[in-house]
Amino acid sequence: MQLPYDRVLRGDLVLPDAVLRDGYVAVRGEAIAAIGQGELPPAKQVDDFSGKLILPGLVDGHMHTGSAIGWPGIEGATATAAAGGVTTVCDMPYDVPRAVTSADIFREKVEAVHQFAHVDVALYGTIRKTGGVDAIAGLAEAGASAFKLSTYEYDAVRFPRIDHPTMVEAFREISKTGLMVAVHNEDQELVERMTAEARASGRVDPIMHARTRPPLAETMADLEIFEIGMETGAHVHIAHSSVARGFDIAESFRRMGGKATGEACIQYLCMTEEDLVRLKGFGKCNPPFRTQQEVELMWVALQAGKIAYVSTDHAPWQREKKLGDDIFACGAGLTGMQSFAPLMFTLLAERGLDVTWMARLCAERSARFHGLYPKKGAIRIGADADFAVLERGDFVFDETAIQDRPDARWSPYHGRAMKARVAATFLRGTPVWDGAEVRAKPGQGRFVPRQHRESFLG
């Protein structure tokens, strides 16, 4: 006699290469135990989502929980993740008041995850501006999913620029771990000069954010980091390319034998300079929005398979830090977690592309690049029972519904028409979002260490 499963979900299952219409996925414990179509197997709990899409829980490969208010920010950021169909977040290391630069700090952050998180969390590590290379091996041992360094300095302690000699040394050590090193890719010398000239001329209006951080600032940095990757054998990854040429550059280095990849944040697939002018500080992020022509080129790169994965770069700055007439004084970063699944579905639908792209680029591939697959990122037997359920229809994104602290309830996508909404989210077989409320409690999320040291290049 077959023992009943703990839970069965019925709906249209979105797999990486197909949609299984009127399918089911069965859960035993915290893992997926069966996948099929037709008559449902016996289960203690049946969740009937007929007519709705059941995707793997999204894996956001790039977001910031602690840049604004430190580790307590994990609580709100992971609550809004649950509401956005995101079941695993890969959190950046540039936290207030100190970055994750040692195994000891890393372990402290793991404890914060277990105190605050609503969904599962993987963690990046980084190094100090000077003298931090020796900590790399320990961070990898502690379970870091990736490393993050920067060619641009926002804060000498929290978010430093790593000089070229130190970067060579760091990449060489990171290459020994097998982990990916993502790099914030902007040329500091060029940006600082252009910003100073803009300020001197009195131009501090929103468009000047884009003009003082031109595509050249990115591509110059791309060439530097990939050349260092070739020299050291490290897997070097553009943390966010706003221009399609970044992916072409990565591809050219792969042809030469390098481990070179890059991701696209979702805003670069839809937002333009006109949106920056309209939104002002609430549209400021680094790198900035580009032209509509560049957005089209980004989609060409995506469909050509050149983009590693799509992320949000969610950075929930306090509303007050986004206000003001001086664009250079506004905080750089967007909220994007709760809008992630509805927006990605909408963008694909608007271009006539299949939802399977979403399963690949927003779940499976991000999990693979961070060494979390096969535990995370796919509807497959043995994987964690993480699901995002999408209801198709005509909806409008409302920033007031964001499940985060009050000063983080703003969005560049406020008022945007959406073709889907997140009707439910499940984490390891347990409902954490019911379409209206976050049902998870702080601490229900867990730290997810990297599962292996094998590089994935796509």
Side-chain angles (χ1 to χ4, degrees), residues 170-179 232-234 453:
F171 279 19
R172 190 164 280 125
E173 287 302 306
I174 292 171
S175 72
K176 296 175 185 177
T177 71
L179 273 61
T232 59
R453 299 290 187 86

Side-chain angles (χ1 to χ4, degrees), residues 37-111:
Q37 281 178 298
E39 184 180 352
L40 299 184
K44 299 173 185 175
Q45 170 76 38
V46 174
D47 297 274
D48 192 345
F49 295 114
S50 295
K52 297 181 176 65
L53 297 168
I54 302 176
L55 289 98
L58 303 194
V59 179
D60 189 350
H62 181 157
M63 53 88 70
H64 301 256
T65 66
S67 293
I69 62 171
W71 292 344
I74 295 169
E75 184 171 346
T78 55
T80 192
V86 181
T87 52
T88 305
V89 300
C90 301
D91 192 31
M92 286 293 170
Y94 298 126
D95 302 318
V96 173
R98 56 181 182 165
V100 183
T101 56
S102 72
D104 286 343
I105 298 174
F106 190 97
R107 284 187 282 267
E108 287 181 41
K109 188 171 183 180
V110 168
E111 290 307 308

Side-chain angles (χ1 to χ4, degrees), residues 278-455:
R278 172 177 60 88
L279 293 164
K280 302 179 181 179
F282 293 99
K284 180 182 177 181
C285 61
N286 294 333
F289 303 155
R290 303 298 182 191
T291 62
Q292 183 61 45
Q293 180 183 19
E294 192 61 55
V295 169
E296 297 304 317
L297 291 173
M298 292 286 282
W299 280 96
V300 171
L302 183 147
Q303 293 181 73
K306 296 180 182 181
I307 293 176
Y309 56 85
V310 176
S311 62
T312 66
D313 197 4
H314 176 79
W317 290 110
Q318 299 93 328
R319 176 182 288 272
E320 64 189 38
K321 293 190 175 182
K322 305 294 281 183
L323 297 169
D325 295 328
D326 181 350
I327 193 65
F328 300 117
C330 296
L334 309 177
T335 65
M337 194 66 70
Q338 199 160 322
S339 53
F340 190 20
L343 181 59
M344 191 66 192
F345 179 87
T346 301
L347 296 177
L348 291 168
E350 288 173 349
R351 291 175 180 270
L353 297 176
D354 198 83
V355 70
T356 54
W357 281 97
M358 188 170 165
R360 292 194 299 274
L361 287 170
C362 304
E364 181 176 322
R365 286 175 64 90
S366 42
R368 284 184 180 274
F369 274 86
H370 283 269
L372 307 177
Y373 186 90
K375 182 179 178 67
K376 299 291 187 183
I379 296 177
R380 59 184 302 280
I381 293 174
D384 280 1
D386 298 344
F387 310 111
V389 181
L390 293 189
E391 176 185 355
R392 289 163 285 196
D394 293 315
F395 305 95
V396 175
F397 189 78
D398 182 357
E399 65 187 10
T400 64
I402 289 176
Q403 303 293 303
D404 203 338
R405 61 186 196 274
D407 64 5
R409 290 179 193 148
W410 58 269
S411 170
Y413 310 110
H414 178 62
R416 194 194 198 284
M418 299 287 188
K419 293 294 184 182
R421 74 176 192 96
V422 180
T425 306
F426 292 78
L427 176 68
R428 289 179 268 107
T430 300
V432 292
W433 169 254
D434 63 8
E437 295 182 359
V438 175
R439 296 176 60 182
K441 303 298 183 187
Q444 195 166 327
R446 296 177 190 161
F447 165 62
V448 187
R450 190 177 178 98
Q451 305 292 295
H452 55 76
R453 299 290 187 86
E454 300 168 11
S455 287

Side-chain angles (χ1 to χ4, degrees), residues 25-323:
V25 56
V27 178
R28 184 165 283 138
E30 298 185 339
I32 296 171
I35 299 167
Q37 281 178 298
E39 184 180 352
L40 299 184
K44 299 173 185 175
Q45 170 76 38
V46 174
D47 297 274
D48 192 345
F49 295 114
S50 295
K52 297 181 176 65
L53 297 168
I54 302 176
L55 289 98
L58 303 194
V59 179
D60 189 350
H62 181 157
M63 53 88 70
H64 301 256
T65 66
S67 293
I69 62 171
W71 292 344
I74 295 169
E75 184 171 346
T78 55
T80 192
V86 181
T87 52
T88 305
V89 300
C90 301
D91 192 31
M92 286 293 170
Y94 298 126
D95 302 318
V96 173
R98 56 181 182 165
V100 183
T101 56
S102 72
D104 286 343
I105 298 174
F106 190 97
R107 284 187 282 267
E108 287 181 41
K109 188 171 183 180
V110 168
E111 290 307 308
V113 167
H114 291 155
Q115 178 182 353
F116 293 118
H118 292 85
V119 300
D120 288 351
V121 181
L123 297 175
Y124 283 78
T126 189
I127 63 171
R128 300 194 308 272
K129 186 176 177 69
T130 57
V133 173
D134 290 347
I136 287 170
L139 285 161
E141 280 297 316
S145 72
F147 287 90
K148 173 75 177 288
L149 304 181
S150 182
T151 61
Y152 188 92
E153 185 160 300
Y154 292 95
D155 182 280
V157 175
R158 190 180 69 82
F159 202 140
R161 175 185 179 270
I162 304 301
D163 64 40
H164 292 158
T166 305
M167 195 169 279
V168 172
E169 188 181 2
F171 279 19
R172 190 164 280 125
E173 287 302 306
I174 292 171
S175 72
K176 296 175 185 177
T177 71
L179 273 61
M180 175 177 81
V181 53
V183 183
H184 181 105
N185 56 320
E186 292 182 294
D187 183 86
Q188 182 150 352
E189 187 176 355
L190 186 61
V191 171
E192 286 189 344
R193 173 69 67 85
M194 297 183 80
T195 302
E197 290 174 349
R199 279 191 173 282
S201 69
R203 290 293 305 277
V204 296
D205 48 302
I207 195 60
M208 295 311 292
H209 178 60
R211 298 292 178 264
T212 56
R213 300 180 112 89
L216 181 62
E218 281 189 63
T219 53
M220 285 173 63
D222 295 341
L223 291 166
E224 292 174 2
I225 63 176
F226 287 146
E227 283 291 351
I228 298 174
M230 287 288 287
E231 175 68 20
T232 59
H235 174 184
V236 181
H237 178 83
I238 303 173
H240 32 42
S241 187
S242 70
V243 294
R245 179 161 159 70
F247 304 112
D248 292 336
I249 293 171
E251 184 180 49
S252 71
F253 275 85
R254 289 198 299 276
R255 288 200 202 101
M256 292 185 284
K259 299 176 181 178
T261 57
E263 76 195 61
C265 302
I266 193 167
Q267 56 265 30
Y268 305 127
L269 297 175
C270 59
M271 303 298 267
T272 68
E273 291 180 344
E274 287 74 18
D275 293 304
L276 172 59
V277 172
R278 172 177 60 88
L279 293 164
K280 302 179 181 179
F282 293 99
K284 180 182 177 181
C285 61
N286 294 333
F289 303 155
R290 303 298 182 191
T291 62
Q292 183 61 45
Q293 180 183 19
E294 192 61 55
V295 169
E296 297 304 317
L297 291 173
M298 292 286 282
W299 280 96
V300 171
L302 183 147
Q303 293 181 73
K306 296 180 182 181
I307 293 176
Y309 56 85
V310 176
S311 62
T312 66
D313 197 4
H314 176 79
W317 290 110
Q318 299 93 328
R319 176 182 288 272
E320 64 189 38
K321 293 190 175 182
K322 305 294 281 183
L323 297 169

